[in-house]
Amino acid sequence: MNRAARLILLLSSSLALAAHAQPDTTHALAGQIELARLVDLAAHRLHLVIDYDAAALKGTITLRQANGVSDAELWDLTNRLLAARGFTTVRMPRSDAVSVVKIGEAANLSRVAGVVDVPAPEGPPAGFTSVALRVRHRPVREVIETVGRLLSKPGGSISALSEPGGLVLISDLTPRVELATALIERLDVSIGESGLEVVPARNMTAAALVTLVAQVAAKRELVSGEKVPGEVLPGGVGDTVLVIAPPDHAQYWKSLIAQLDQREEVTTVVYTPRNFGAAEVAALIEQAVHTGPREPATGDGWRLVVDQLTGTLIVTATPSEHAEVAALLARLDAAPQASRRPVRSFAVRNRNVTDLLPVLNDLMQAGVLEAVAPPETGDITAARVPPELHTPPPPVLPGPAGPSTTASAPRPEPGGRTAVQPGGAAPLALSADEATNTLIAMGEPRLLEQLQVLITQLDVRQPQVMLEVMLISLTESQALSLGIELEKVSLDADLSYRLSSLFGLSGRAGGVPIAGGAGLTGVVLNPGDFSVVLRALQTVQGGRSLSMPRILVGNNQSASLDSVLEQPFTSTNSGNTVATTSFGGSLPAGTQVSITPQIAEGGHLTLRYQVSLSSFTGASSGPGVPPPRQQNRVQSVATIPDGFTVVVGGIDLETSGKSVSQVPLLGNIPIIGEAFKNRNRNSSHQKFYVFIRAGVLRAGGFEDLKYLSGVATSRLGVDDGFPRLEPRVIK
C-alpha cells in the first residue's frame, strides 16, 4: 500500500507537469520583482487559479536567471521563495484551485492523498502535500521517530492514524514528503532483510559525508564489480547519517564512514585585505568558503575573527579552506581600484560634531587611525602552514629617495580638516558639517571601518542628572539677666551722704530711680531715705532657614544656580569745600550652587560641588562701609549613591558666656551678697547643613524627566502645555 501511495504522489506530480507544461519555453527572469507579482506570473504561465492575501505577501526579491526558466522551474522557484518567507501553496479538499497559506496552517488545509481514490488534480503539484501511508513491517513509533528528523520545521509533521493498522499521515513541503516516502519504503522491510542505524558525523557535515561515502562506494563497485547492499542517507536532525543495510553488511558502511569522517589539521593565519573592508571580506568568506561545521567549544574548528583595529582577518581553518581564502583574497586584491577614494558620511546623533572631531584627530595622531603597513601574513600558532597559503606583503614602490614606507596619520589642520602630507594624499581625511552635525571621511575602506567602530563607541547619548540641594540653617540663643540695685540717701543738718550699689538697671529723673527695660522689674522707694530696684529678664530665640535649589544637568557638564540679593552702599568723598556722596558698589548675599556630576559604574555619582549660603547680619557701620555679611561655604569632591539624600557638609557653632557684676566684699557674702550682684548669662547654637540628592535620568524616551516635571507643574498649578483628552457624548 505504501508503494501505491508513493506512485500516486509521483505520478500525479509528473502527469500534471507534463500535461500543463507548454512546449519547452523558457523565459529569463532578472532584476527585482514583488513576491505577489511572481505568484501572478506563475498562475498566468501555468494557467492556475491561485488565491492569496495580497496584504500578506509583501516584499521584493532579486532574481538573476541568465538562461531562463521553464514553467516547471518557475513553479518550483515560486514555492521555494514562498517557503522561505513562511508561506506555501496547498490544494484544499474538493477544490482544484491553489491557495497560498502560512506553512503552520497548511497541514489543516491540505487535501490528503492515498486515503481514497481521488482523481489527480489538474496542474502542477502544490508546494505542501499530505500523504497517508501504511507501515507493514516496522513499528509505527520507530518509523515516526526516524522520519520525523527529515521533516521541516515548523510545518512538517508525521503522526499515527491507526496504531494497530500501521497507518501514518505525513504533512510537509512536497520535496520533503517525497524524501520521507522514499525513506519509509526503505525502512518498511522485514527485520531480517535490513536494519537502520544512526551514526553521528563528527568532523564533516552530514550532506558532505553522505556524498563522499557514495562516491567511494561507487568507485569500489567499479573496481571490484560487486555492490555492497545498503545505503547511507542524511539524518535530517543535527550532523547525523542513517545507515540502512542488512545486519551482516552494516559494519562495512560504519567502518567506511569512520575512515572518511576525519578531521583535517587546522591552522591560524592572518590575512590583510587591501582594497576592501575587513568586515565585508569576512562576510564574503563565510558565504563562499566556509561550509563545514563550527566547533567553538573545542577550539579546533573553523573560526574567523575580524580585527577592526588593524583591519585584518584571523582565520583558523583547514589547509584546503586556507587555500580557498587565499585565492579569494588574491582575486579581490587584483580588482582595479576606483580613481577616487571612498567617501562616507557618519551622522553624529548624540554629540556635537565639532566636539567629536578633535577626539578623532587626537586618535589619528596617536596612531589608532592610520594606514599602517599590513603585518606579514603568517601562522600565529605552532601549527605548520604551507608557504603558498600565506598572503604576500604589499609591494614597495620606489620613490625619489629610495623605497617608500607607509606614513603615519598626518597632523590635523585648524578647523578640523586633516592635512595632506607632502608627496601624497592623507590616508584618512576628516571634515565636519556643522549644519547637519555630520562627519565626512575620505580614506581607505579599512580605515573607514575603524572610524565607524570608534564613532559608534563615542557617539552615545549621556544620561542626565536631576540635582536637589537643600541648605538648612538653624539658630538657637538664650540670655538671662538678674540684678538688684540698692541706694541709701541721708540728710542730717549740714551733713548729707549717699551709699548705693548701681549696675545700670534703672534710669533717674530728678534723683529718683525709675525702673526701665524689659523683663520683670520692681522699685521700692522711700524718697529722701532709700530705694531698691529689682530686674530679671530671660530671652530665648530660635530660627530656621531652608533653601532648596534644583538643577538639571548632563553627565560631565557643569551647572550653577545663583539666588543673590545685591545690597548697595555709598561712598563719601570729603574735600576742602564740598563733600560728595556717590555709589560705592554692592555686596551680594544669598544662595550660590555650582555642581559638576559624573556618572560612575554601579549606580554612583561623583560630584564636584561648591555650595555657598550668605546673609546680611546688620546695618552698615558707617558711610562707605558695606553691611556685615555672614557666609557659609562648602566645597569638595564626593561620591554619592543614586537617588539618595545624603549630607555632604555642615557647620555646628556653639557659644556661651557668663558675667557677674558685684560690690566688692559684700557680694561674696553668702545669701546676703546676692543683693549686691548683677548676673548675665548668654548662650547661642548655630547649625548649617548641606544635603544633596542626585537622581540619574536614564529613560530613552525621557519618561522620568516628564514625570518629575509633571509633579512640579501640578504642585505649582502651571499648565504643562499637553492637550487634554476629554470624553464626548455623541448623540
Side-chain angles (χ1 to χ4, degrees), residues 120-463:
E122 297 183 359
F128 193 95
T129 308
S130 296
V131 177
L133 300 176
R134 188 174 300 278
V135 180
R136 298 182 181 276
H137 303 287
R138 304 301 297 271
V140 175
R141 293 184 179 179
E142 179 181 333
V143 173
I144 290 177
E145 181 180 357
T146 303
V147 176
R149 301 175 182 178
L150 301 178
L151 302 182
S152 60
K153 298 293 185 294
S157 64
I158 179 171
S159 59
L161 294 179
S162 59
E163 181 69 24
L167 192 63
V168 297
L169 176 64
I170 304 174
S171 299
D172 203 346
L173 300 176
T174 301
R176 288 283 182 176
V177 172
E178 294 176 356
L179 180 60
T181 304
L183 180 58
I184 291 178
E185 182 180 355
R186 289 181 172 86
L187 293 176
D188 192 19
V189 295
S190 176
I191 298 299
E193 298 179 2
S194 179
L196 173 66
E197 291 191 39
V198 179
V199 179
R202 304 184 183 278
N203 304 305
M204 301 176 61
T205 60
L209 183 57
V210 169
T211 302
L212 184 58
V213 170
Q215 293 175 354
V216 173
K219 294 297 183 182
R220 285 187 177 182
E221 180 183 356
L222 182 62
V223 173
S224 62
E226 181 181 356
K227 181 178 181 180
V228 180
E231 192 171 353
V232 178
L233 299 176
V237 176
D239 293 326
T240 59
V241 295
L242 303 177
V243 177
I244 304 173
D248 53 343
H249 293 87
Q251 186 61 35
Y252 163 79
W253 294 103
K254 291 191 293 184
S255 300
L256 182 59
I257 291 174
Q259 292 176 7
L260 298 178
D261 188 18
Q262 297 295 329
R263 184 193 309 275
E264 291 185 87
E265 183 181 5
V266 296
T267 55
T268 301
V269 179
V270 179
Y271 298 94
T272 304
R274 300 177 189 173
N275 299 337
F276 301 95
E280 300 173 353
V281 176
L284 182 59
I285 292 176
E286 288 281 2
Q287 297 176 3
V289 176
H290 174 52
T291 57
R294 293 190 177 207
E295 299 183 10
T298 58
D300 52 359
W302 168 273
R303 187 179 183 188
L304 190 152
V305 178
V306 180
D307 188 354
Q308 295 285 2
L309 296 179
T310 61
T312 58
L313 303 176
I314 305 174
V315 181
T316 301
T318 62
S320 59
E321 291 174 330
H322 277 302
E324 296 182 23
V325 173
L328 178 60
L329 289 179
R331 181 172 61 84
L332 294 177
D333 293 341
Q337 294 186 358
S339 58
R340 295 181 57 188
R341 292 183 297 169
V343 177
R344 292 181 60 182
S345 60
F346 303 92
V348 182
R349 306 184 184 278
N350 301 300
R351 299 183 60 177
N352 194 326
V353 67
T354 57
D355 297 336
L356 185 60
L357 189 59
V359 178
L360 297 176
N361 285 329
D362 292 341
L363 293 176
M364 292 173 59
Q365 286 183 298
V368 178
L369 289 173
E370 63 178 0
V372 297
E376 182 180 356
T377 304
D379 191 1
I380 61 175
T381 64
R384 299 183 300 274
V385 182
E388 60 272 12
L389 298 183
H390 289 212
T391 303
V396 179
L397 301 179
S404 63
T405 58
T406 305
S408 60
R411 184 180 300 275
E413 293 179 345
R417 188 177 299 275
T418 305
V420 178
Q421 294 182 347
L428 184 64
L430 303 178
S431 182
D433 184 9
E434 299 183 16
T436 59
N437 206 46
T438 302
L439 182 69
I440 303 173
M442 180 177 64
E444 301 176 4
R446 179 167 57 89
L447 298 180
L448 294 180
E449 286 189 359
Q450 300 179 25
L451 181 62
Q452 183 177 8
V453 173
L454 288 175
I455 292 178
T456 303
Q457 296 174 352
L458 297 176
D459 186 23
V460 179
R461 184 176 74 87
Q462 295 293 320

Side-chain angles (χ1 to χ4, degrees), residues 662-663 665-678:
Q662 66 179 17
V663 177
L665 300 179
L666 295 179
N668 295 330
I669 300 175
I671 302 176
I672 298 176
E674 297 296 328
F676 301 94
K677 292 182 181 180
N678 181 26

